[in-house]
């Protein structure tokens, strides 16, 4: 029994490690006299990195604890993305926190705990795990959004995020209860078995719709996107960077897993829902961003649009589709974090500036920063040979594969509309007369992150194989685990 | 010789040159700018030499792709780094390598701000353009085809005229709309066949219904690029606002990519659909020829006039290509090359006086022959070539196109010929107003003739125009085999269509 338990515990070692590290860091933060934020910060970064390594090396293909979680390559792939997003945004947060005098030890601890929740989300194999993981990350994120508690906008963002997030969680939970009521099981395998037995699935379908709606809120897909611009604008910028990276990936991964695994038999039904979510998100993301002057709001609409593009892959409902989503998320994570790094470098006379007009003429005053941001913008617009193009390439390939020509054509046209506001930023930086220069240096913490993400974005097309192959493996195992 | 990866060399040398430009140092800004110009110029010369070596080693007796390079790129999807050229792409590469040094020379004095970025943009663009013409993998082709938007967007937007921002956006978004539909076609073809290799796709034989959809998706992209009426409205804006060298590249090479797309993809891969849609192409081309010629007549801005004349001349190209016989296709191809040289040269001609007077309006000038005899001579050669005077390159292309068109459809040939008359009208009138007459305007009294740097790029262009006009076989020889091969590929579809038409009667 003990050996059995030890084996089971070993399979979820990354989660255990994160839980212990989170509590240890919290204790350290409380008990170390003086300013502990420095130690806690690096401790959090180190423990996240270690968790990522543990996730990579620990064995996959197990479903411990009676199938509550499923440790599989798909989960591992997404865990690595989530951890990478958390680490990079934490590193970028450091300089910001010091300058905004919000250098407290709680933020890194919250990020560690949120990452633990996301680990559970991406590996969930049971409605209970799903909900516990989701709430764990959400509660941590609500606090993060309101972290600058002396700033009105930040507090407002936290409150808004909390109230709307609670509604979404309620919907999700209601969906879970319906599914449980009609299938008699909370485990994904049980739901699959019920659906396979051919019982009347209407109740389960309604439950699945509620679950999808709850998750659509988390990935800010239209029509559940309303919170995004306000929260993105109000939250402290590095926290927004974190929001747009890790939780988005985790929620998207969870949505993919839930729809592809337990509700696979209902694919004809949920495909239509995802279709509409995708079209709405792509359209609103592209059109809504055009009028924005604040770059954080603009990025919020951009993230809505990107969620739509990722959903195109999911709408395909095939292995190629999951592959496309995985590749898209990975690439989006990299270029998104790079963009946020550039936004964090936008400070003038010691305060952050957020209007896109502040970028005017950046190519003269800071050519390197302008070049990096231009790379990210062209990449987000999906112009080859930058990485963003390949993200779109694979989701659309999957959509064509599944015969979704209408969706593909709408998608590519919306990407052109979206290109307008991305290249408008390039226009501001390169064509317009310079505004005042930003403070220099941009910061020791930002420069490496921006440089690495920019190099990856530009050079991805030279060595696409590692990412494509691991995403392929992840998708194959997820889909293969489903179809008997 | 052929063991050397010459095509890769031609593609990547400009990028290496761009990297050197980036590293150029100097004592002051002026020195940096000077060094950058020299580095860029020498790079483009070396590329020209490489391309001429390719031409010299080119085997004119085979329709197979030559200088083929293959390397796996995304093996999981069977996408390869696959390069190769045939008689159709060879001269487009030569044209590119020939025009880029000209562009760098002509911006020598006129570009004074951000010279380093300018030269990088040009070299990067040269690399992408050569890549487009060499690519034998559809995804690779698409990559180069769309990537080129970035440097061109920057060139128009940073160094362009007063309405540069509007024009840059229009150019970018217009072209992007077409390109993304091409992407949908590429993905569909990949889904159908499981390959993106262009030679394989050429012999695949798609279903006819599917062919029509694919054809329309490709048409969206290539028709914008050519540009065909009514998708041409980005062109006058972009040409007028771009700096001279930008207009040269746009008119000289970028427009050719659309026609190249028709020739490389639409015709061989979708022959039945091409036959089906040929009347559409003919109609749009004829409208383009007549309508844009009339519009050109009324222009007051020289660059705009030449821009509209480009649309008309490209109308001849598309008619030639879709006549689908050897004369028509060779004529279209020859017209592409001729137009590449002539329209590029005409933009340079405008650029010369623009550098001196900073005005593109025809009304600013008059009687230039009195102060600028050399300029008047050069202008005359290109003007006559544009009109299609026998002995110049323009004649050969138009003549062959009309021969081809006559075989396909007499009415098309008849209406296209009216375009030649109108073309003569607007070009001769332009020349008369700018060059002849009395030199009355005070500010023109001190205008200087072409200097040595300007003659340096005009002389080879004049030579090219005359050689192509007098000895066209020097180019046609290398095209014959490839074009015959292409005609044979499409012949089946053509015959089936004419058979069906006879049955209808």
């Amino acid at each position: 029994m003990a050996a059995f338990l030890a084996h089971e515990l070993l399979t979820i070692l990354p989660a255990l490690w994160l839980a212990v590290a989170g509590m240890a860091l919290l204790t350290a933060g409380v008990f170390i006299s003086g300013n502990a934020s420095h130690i806690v910060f690096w401790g959090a970064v180190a423990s996240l990195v270690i968790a990522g390594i543990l996730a990579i090396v620990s064995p996959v293909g197990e479903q411990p604890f009676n199938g509550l979680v499923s440790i599989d390559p798909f989960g591992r792939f997404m865990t690595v993305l989530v951890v990478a997003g958390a680490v990079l945004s934490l590193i970028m947060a450091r300089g910001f926190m010091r300058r905004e005098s919000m250098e407290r030890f709680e933020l890194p601890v919250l990020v560690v705990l949120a990452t633990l929740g996301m680990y559970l989300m991406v590996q969930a194999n049971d409605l209970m795990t799903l909900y516990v993981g989701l709430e764990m990350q959400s509660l941590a994120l609500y606090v993060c959004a309101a972290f600058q508690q002396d700033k009105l906008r930040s507090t407002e963002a936290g409150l808004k995020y909390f109230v709307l997030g609670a509604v979404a969680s309620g919907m999700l939970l209601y969906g879970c209860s319906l599914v449980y009521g009609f299938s008699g099981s909370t485990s994904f395998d049980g739901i699959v078995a019920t659906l396979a037995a051919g019982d009347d699935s209407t109740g389960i379908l309604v439950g699945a719709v509620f679950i999808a709606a709850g998750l659509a809120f988390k990935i800010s897909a239209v029509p559940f996107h309303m919170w995004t611009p306000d929260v993105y604008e109000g939250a402290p910028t590095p926290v927004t960077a974190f929001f747009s990276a890790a939780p988005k990936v985790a929620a998207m991964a969870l949505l993919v897993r839930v729809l592809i695994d337990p509700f696979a038999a209902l694919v004809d039904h949920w495909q239509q829902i995802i279709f509409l979510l995708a079209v709405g998100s792509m359209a609103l993301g592209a059109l809504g961003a055009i009028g924005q002057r604040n770059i954080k709001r603009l990025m919020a609409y951009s993230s809505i649009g990107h969620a739509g593009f990722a959903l195109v892959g999911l709408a395909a409902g095939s292995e190629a589709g999951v592959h496309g989503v995985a590749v898209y998320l990975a690439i989006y994570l990299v270029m998104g974090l790079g963009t946020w790094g550039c936004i964090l470098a936008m400070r003038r006379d010691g305060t952050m500036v957020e209007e896109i007009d502040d970028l005017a003429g950046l190519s003269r005053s800071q050519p390197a920063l302008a070049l990096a941001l231009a790379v990210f913008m062209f990449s987000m617009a999906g112009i080859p040979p930058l990485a963003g193009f390949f993200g779109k390439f694979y989701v659309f390939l999957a959509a064509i594969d599944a015969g979704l020509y209408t969706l593909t054509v709408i998608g590519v046209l919306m990407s052109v509309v979206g290109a307008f506001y991305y290249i408008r930023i390039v226009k501001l930086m390169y064509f317009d007369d310079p505004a005042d220069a930003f403070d220099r240096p941009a910061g020791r913490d930002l420069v490496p992150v921006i440089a690495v993400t920019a190099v990856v974005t530009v050079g991805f097309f030279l060595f696409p194989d590692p990412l494509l192959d691991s995403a392929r493996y992840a998708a194959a195992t997820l889909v293969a685990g489903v179809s008997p | 010789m052929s063991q050397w990866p010459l095509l890769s060399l031609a593609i990547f040398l400009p990028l290496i040159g761009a990297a050197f430009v980036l590293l150029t140092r100097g004592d002051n800004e002026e020195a940096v700018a000077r060094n950058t110009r020299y580095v860029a110029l020498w790079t483009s010369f070396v590329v020209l030499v490489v391309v001429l070596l390719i031409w010299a080693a080119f085997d004119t007796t085979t329709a197979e792709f030559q200088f083929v390079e293959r390397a796996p790129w995304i093996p999981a999807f069977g996408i390869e780094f696959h390069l190769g050229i045939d008689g159709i792409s060879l001269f487009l590469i030569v044209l590119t390598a020939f025009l880029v040094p000209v562009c760098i020379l002509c911006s020598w004095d006129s570009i004074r701000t951000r010279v380093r970025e300018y030269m990088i943009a040009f070299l990067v663009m040269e690399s992408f353009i050569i890549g487009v013409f060499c690519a034998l993998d559809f995804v690779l082709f698409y990559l180069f085809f769309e990537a080129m938007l970035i440097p061109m967007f920057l060139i128009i937007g940073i160094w362009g005229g007063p309405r540069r921002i509007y024009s840059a956006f229009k150019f970018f978004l217009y072209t992007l709309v077409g390109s993304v539909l091409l992407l949908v076609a590429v993905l569909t073809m990949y889904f159908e066949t499981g390959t993106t290799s262009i030679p394989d796709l050429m012999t695949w034989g798609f279903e006819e219904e599917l062919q029509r959809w694919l054809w329309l998706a490709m048409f969206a992209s290539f028709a914008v690029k050519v540009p065909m009426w009514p998708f041409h409205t980005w062109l006058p804006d972009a040409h007028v606002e771009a700096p001279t060298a930008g207009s040269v590249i746009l008119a000289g090479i970028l427009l050719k990519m659309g026609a190249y797309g028709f020739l490389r993809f639409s015709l061989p891969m979708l022959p039945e659909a091409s036959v089906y849609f040929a009347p559409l192409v003919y109609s749009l081309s004829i409208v383009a020829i007549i309508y844009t010629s009339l519009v050109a007549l009324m222009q007051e801005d020289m660059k705009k006039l030449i821009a509209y004349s480009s649309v008309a001349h490209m109308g001849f190209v598309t008619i030639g290509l879709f006549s689908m016989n050897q004369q028509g296709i060779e004529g279209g191809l020859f017209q592409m090359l001729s137009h590449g040289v002539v329209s590029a040269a005409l933009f340079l001609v405008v650029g010369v006086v623009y550098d001196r007077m900073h005005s593109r309006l025809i009304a600013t000038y008059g009687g230039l022959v009195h102060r600028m005899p050399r300029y008047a001579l050069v202008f005359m050669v290109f003007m006559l070539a544009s009109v299609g005077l026998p002995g110049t390159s323009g004649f050969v292309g138009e003549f062959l196109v009309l021969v081809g068109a006559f075989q396909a459809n007499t009415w098309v040939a008849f209406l296209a010929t009216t375009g030649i008359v109108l073309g003569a009208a607007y070009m001769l009138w332009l020349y008369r107003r700018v060059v002849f007459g009395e030199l009355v305007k005070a500010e023109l009294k001190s205008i200087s003739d072409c200097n040595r740097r300007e003659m340096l790029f005009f002389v080879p262009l004049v030579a090219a125009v005359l050689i192509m006009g007098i000895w066209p076989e020097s180019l046609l020889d290398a095209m014959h085999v490839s074009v015959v091969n292409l005609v044979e590929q499409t012949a089946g579809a053509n015959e089936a269509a004419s058979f069906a038409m006879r049955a209808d009667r």
Side-chain angles (χ1 to χ4, degrees), chain A residues 13 35 44 158 185 194 229 258 269 297 306 335 392 442 446 454:
Chain A
L13 194 58
N35 193 345
S185 168
T194 316
V258 167
H269 298 284
R297 287 187 86 82
H306 283 292
M335 61 191 186
K392 292 203 168 72
L446 293 180

Side-chain angles (χ1 to χ4, degrees), chain A residues 118-332:
Chain A
M118 290 184 249
Y119 175 84
L120 289 177
M121 281 164 76
V122 300
Q123 320 258 23
N125 197 37
D126 190 292
L127 294 176
M128 301 297 285
T129 332
L130 179 160
Y131 187 73
V132 171
L134 192 72
E135 280 306 283
M136 175 131 199
Q137 68 119 31
S138 297
L139 286 170
L141 295 183
Y142 301 146
V143 184
C144 288
F147 204 73
Q148 266 177 320
Q149 84 273 52
D150 50 347
K151 289 243 170 80
L152 191 61
R153 281 197 311 175
S154 175
T155 328
E156 182 195 324
L159 189 63
K160 220 170 226 170
Y161 193 25
F162 174 68
V163 173
L164 291 173
V167 172
S169 294
M171 279 201 284
L172 186 105
L173 204 54
Y174 183 56
C176 292
S177 72
L178 275 175
V179 171
Y180 174 66
F182 280 89
S183 70
S185 168
T186 58
S187 95
F188 288 1
D189 301 335
I191 299 169
V192 170
T194 316
L195 284 171
D199 294 342
D200 180 25
S201 59
T202 313
I204 299 181
L205 178 61
V206 174
V209 170
F210 274 104
I211 293 177
L215 290 174
F217 174 89
K218 300 290 174 192
I219 58 167
S220 64
V222 173
F224 306 101
H225 65 281
M226 272 76 156
W227 59 276
T228 322
D230 291 340
V231 173
Y232 271 43
E233 186 188 357
T237 311
V239 172
T240 317
F242 179 57
F243 279 5
S244 77
K248 200 124 189 174
V249 170
M252 195 71 210
L254 182 56
L255 185 59
V256 169
R257 187 187 282 278
V258 167
L259 292 181
I260 295 284
D261 188 356
F263 300 121
L266 303 173
V267 59
D268 293 338
H269 298 284
W270 60 251
Q271 207 170 25
Q272 303 166 22
I273 300 173
I274 300 298
F275 184 101
L276 288 177
L277 290 179
V279 170
S281 307
M282 289 187 295
L284 191 116
L287 298 170
I290 291 175
Q292 302 303 326
R293 309 308 301 174
N294 180 301
I295 192 151
K296 285 167 81 179
R297 287 187 86 82
L298 186 133
M299 286 302 290
Y301 282 99
S302 154
S303 85
I304 295 172
H306 283 292
F309 286 110
L311 285 173
V312 170
L314 179 56
S318 59
E319 185 186 322
V322 177
H323 172 249
V325 176
V327 173
Y328 198 94
L329 289 176
I331 289 171
Y332 170 68

Side-chain angles (χ1 to χ4, degrees), chain B residues 187-367:
Chain B
L187 294 174
T188 313
M189 287 172 122
Y190 173 72
F191 167 59
E192 280 290 311
T193 64
T195 176
T196 53
S197 157
I198 290 173
D200 291 351
L201 289 172
M202 279 182 178
T203 53
W204 183 267
F206 292 92
E207 266 176 68
E208 202 168 336
E209 160 111 27
L210 181 67
Q211 277 199 21
R212 290 185 191 166
W213 286 108
L214 290 173
W215 195 93
L216 285 174
M218 288 187 184
F219 180 74
S221 171
F222 300 143
V224 167
K225 242 347 188 245
V226 166
M228 294 180 75
W229 185 88
F231 309 109
H232 68 282
T233 62
W234 64 269
L235 181 131
D237 286 314
H239 277 50
V240 169
E241 298 304 326
T244 304
S247 310
V248 169
I249 287 286
L250 267 171
I253 304 164
L254 258 63
L255 305 190
K256 309 304 173 292
M257 283 185 185
Y260 175 75
F262 282 129
L263 204 49
R264 176 67 81 221
F265 304 107
S266 302
L267 288 177
M269 290 180 195
L270 314 168
E272 278 87 9
S274 296
V275 172
Y276 180 81
F277 284 111
L280 173 75
V281 175
Y282 288 151
S283 318
L284 294 182
S285 307
I286 287 169
V287 174
I289 291 173
I290 297 177
Y291 167 78
T292 53
S293 296
L294 291 172
V295 173
L297 262 177
M298 295 319 296
Q299 293 306 314
E300 293 167 348
D301 180 320
M302 290 196 276
K303 266 185 141 180
K304 225 169 190 164
L305 189 148
I306 297 165
Y308 278 109
S309 85
S310 287
V311 182
H313 283 131
M314 291 308 286
F316 278 99
V317 173
T318 43
I319 286 182
L321 299 184
F322 278 83
S323 68
M324 283 181 257
N325 49 48
Q326 195 192 343
Q327 290 82 357
I329 293 178
E330 282 184 9
L333 201 49
F334 200 90
Q335 173 80 350
M336 276 156 75
L337 301 174
S338 157
H339 177 260
V341 176
V342 172
S343 70
L346 284 171
F347 278 116
L348 291 169
V349 164
V350 176
V352 166
V353 286
Y354 181 80
D355 284 348
R356 290 165 174 66
M357 303 300 298
H358 297 283
S359 163
R360 300 182 305 249
L361 295 180
I362 298 171
T364 316
Y365 302 98

